[in-house]
PDB file of all heavy atoms in Angstrom:
ATOM      1  N   PRO A 227      29.871  11.249 -14.110  1.00 95.00           N
ATOM      2  CA  PRO A 227      28.863  12.207 -13.623  1.00 95.00           C
ATOM      3  C   PRO A 227      27.529  11.547 -13.284  1.00 95.00           C
ATOM      4  O   PRO A 227      26.794  12.029 -12.435  1.00 95.00           O
ATOM      5  CB  PRO A 227      28.695  13.185 -14.797  1.00 95.00           C
ATOM      6  CG  PRO A 227      29.875  12.967 -15.679  1.00 95.00           C
ATOM      7  CD  PRO A 227      30.257  11.533 -15.506  1.00 95.00           C
ATOM      8  N   LEU A 228      27.196  10.439 -13.968  1.00 95.00           N
ATOM      9  CA  LEU A 228      25.922   9.771 -13.756  1.00 95.00           C
ATOM     10  C   LEU A 228      26.110   8.264 -13.904  1.00 95.00           C
ATOM     11  O   LEU A 228      26.638   7.801 -14.912  1.00 95.00           O
ATOM     12  CB  LEU A 228      24.883  10.259 -14.775  1.00 95.00           C
ATOM     13  CG  LEU A 228      23.463   9.706 -14.636  1.00 95.00           C
ATOM     14  CD1 LEU A 228      22.833  10.155 -13.320  1.00 95.00           C
ATOM     15  CD2 LEU A 228      22.598  10.159 -15.817  1.00 95.00           C
ATOM     16  N   SER A 229      25.691   7.509 -12.878  1.00 94.00           N
ATOM     17  CA  SER A 229      25.884   6.055 -12.899  1.00 94.00           C
ATOM     18  C   SER A 229      24.675   5.343 -12.325  1.00 94.00           C
ATOM     19  O   SER A 229      23.910   5.909 -11.542  1.00 94.00           O
ATOM     20  CB  SER A 229      27.128   5.665 -12.084  1.00 94.00           C
ATOM     21  OG  SER A 229      28.290   6.309 -12.550  1.00 94.00           O
ATOM     22  N   LEU A 230      24.514   4.074 -12.707  1.00 94.00           N
ATOM     23  CA  LEU A 230      23.476   3.215 -12.150  1.00 94.00           C
ATOM     24  C   LEU A 230      24.125   1.913 -11.715  1.00 94.00           C
ATOM     25  O   LEU A 230      24.779   1.229 -12.506  1.00 94.00           O
ATOM     26  CB  LEU A 230      22.381   2.923 -13.182  1.00 94.00           C
ATOM     27  CG  LEU A 230      21.296   1.932 -12.747  1.00 94.00           C
ATOM     28  CD1 LEU A 230      20.459   2.508 -11.607  1.00 94.00           C
ATOM     29  CD2 LEU A 230      20.402   1.542 -13.930  1.00 94.00           C
ATOM     30  N   ILE A 231      23.978   1.572 -10.425  1.00 93.00           N
ATOM     31  CA  ILE A 231      24.507   0.311  -9.902  1.00 93.00           C
ATOM     32  C   ILE A 231      23.359  -0.682  -9.824  1.00 93.00           C
ATOM     33  O   ILE A 231      22.338  -0.415  -9.190  1.00 93.00           O
ATOM     34  CB  ILE A 231      25.128   0.503  -8.502  1.00 93.00           C
ATOM     35  CG1 ILE A 231      26.307   1.468  -8.568  1.00 93.00           C
ATOM     36  CG2 ILE A 231      25.582  -0.835  -7.925  1.00 93.00           C
ATOM     37  CD1 ILE A 231      26.927   1.779  -7.215  1.00 93.00           C
ATOM     38  N   GLN A 232      23.539  -1.833 -10.472  1.00 91.00           N
ATOM     39  CA  GLN A 232      22.512  -2.871 -10.458  1.00 91.00           C
ATOM     40  C   GLN A 232      23.055  -4.116  -9.767  1.00 91.00           C
ATOM     41  O   GLN A 232      24.248  -4.409  -9.832  1.00 91.00           O
ATOM     42  CB  GLN A 232      22.087  -3.234 -11.880  1.00 91.00           C
ATOM     43  CG  GLN A 232      21.337  -2.119 -12.602  1.00 91.00           C
ATOM     44  CD  GLN A 232      21.009  -2.506 -14.033  1.00 91.00           C
ATOM     45  OE1 GLN A 232      21.898  -2.642 -14.863  1.00 91.00           O
ATOM     46  NE2 GLN A 232      19.721  -2.685 -14.308  1.00 91.00           N
ATOM     47  N   GLY A 233      22.160  -4.840  -9.114  1.00 88.00           N
ATOM     48  CA  GLY A 233      22.576  -6.082  -8.461  1.00 88.00           C
ATOM     49  C   GLY A 233      21.389  -6.782  -7.851  1.00 88.00           C
ATOM     50  O   GLY A 233      20.493  -6.136  -7.312  1.00 88.00           O
ATOM     51  N   PRO A 234      21.346  -8.121  -7.914  1.00 88.00           N
ATOM     52  CA  PRO A 234      20.234  -8.878  -7.308  1.00 88.00           C
ATOM     53  C   PRO A 234      20.213  -8.695  -5.792  1.00 88.00           C
ATOM     54  O   PRO A 234      21.197  -8.233  -5.198  1.00 88.00           O
ATOM     55  CB  PRO A 234      20.562 -10.343  -7.672  1.00 88.00           C
ATOM     56  CG  PRO A 234      21.573 -10.259  -8.774  1.00 88.00           C
ATOM     57  CD  PRO A 234      22.327  -8.997  -8.559  1.00 88.00           C
ATOM     58  N   PRO A 235      19.101  -9.045  -5.141  1.00 87.00           N
ATOM     59  CA  PRO A 235      19.034  -8.957  -3.679  1.00 87.00           C
ATOM     60  C   PRO A 235      20.135  -9.784  -3.013  1.00 87.00           C
ATOM     61  O   PRO A 235      20.472 -10.879  -3.483  1.00 87.00           O
ATOM     62  CB  PRO A 235      17.644  -9.538  -3.352  1.00 87.00           C
ATOM     63  CG  PRO A 235      16.850  -9.353  -4.601  1.00 87.00           C
ATOM     64  CD  PRO A 235      17.823  -9.486  -5.733  1.00 87.00           C
ATOM     65  N   GLY A 236      20.706  -9.248  -1.958  1.00 86.00           N
ATOM     66  CA  GLY A 236      21.728  -9.981  -1.207  1.00 86.00           C
ATOM     67  C   GLY A 236      23.133  -9.832  -1.732  1.00 86.00           C
ATOM     68  O   GLY A 236      24.060 -10.500  -1.262  1.00 86.00           O
ATOM     69  N   THR A 237      23.323  -8.966  -2.712  1.00 88.00           N
ATOM     70  CA  THR A 237      24.674  -8.795  -3.288  1.00 88.00           C
ATOM     71  C   THR A 237      25.431  -7.638  -2.634  1.00 88.00           C
ATOM     72  O   THR A 237      26.509  -7.277  -3.093  1.00 88.00           O
ATOM     73  CB  THR A 237      24.589  -8.565  -4.810  1.00 88.00           C
ATOM     74  OG1 THR A 237      23.699  -7.473  -5.079  1.00 88.00           O
ATOM     75  CG2 THR A 237      24.073  -9.815  -5.508  1.00 88.00           C
ATOM     76  N   GLY A 238      24.875  -7.047  -1.589  1.00 90.00           N
ATOM     77  CA  GLY A 238      25.611  -6.022  -0.843  1.00 90.00           C
ATOM     78  C   GLY A 238      25.514  -4.622  -1.412  1.00 90.00           C
ATOM     79  O   GLY A 238      26.462  -3.837  -1.284  1.00 90.00           O
ATOM     80  N   LYS A 239      24.373  -4.293  -2.008  1.00 92.00           N
ATOM     81  CA  LYS A 239      24.237  -2.955  -2.604  1.00 92.00           C
ATOM     82  C   LYS A 239      24.240  -1.858  -1.533  1.00 92.00           C
ATOM     83  O   LYS A 239      24.777  -0.778  -1.757  1.00 92.00           O
ATOM     84  CB  LYS A 239      22.961  -2.875  -3.444  1.00 92.00           C
ATOM     85  CG  LYS A 239      22.981  -3.735  -4.698  1.00 92.00           C
ATOM     86  CD  LYS A 239      21.811  -3.439  -5.608  1.00 92.00           C
ATOM     87  CE  LYS A 239      20.469  -3.770  -4.971  1.00 92.00           C
ATOM     88  NZ  LYS A 239      20.328  -5.210  -4.644  1.00 92.00           N
TER      89      LYS A 239
END
Side-chain angles (χ1 to χ4, degrees):
L228 183 64
S229 303
L230 175 66
I231 298 177
Q232 292 177 292
T237 54
K239 292 190 296 298

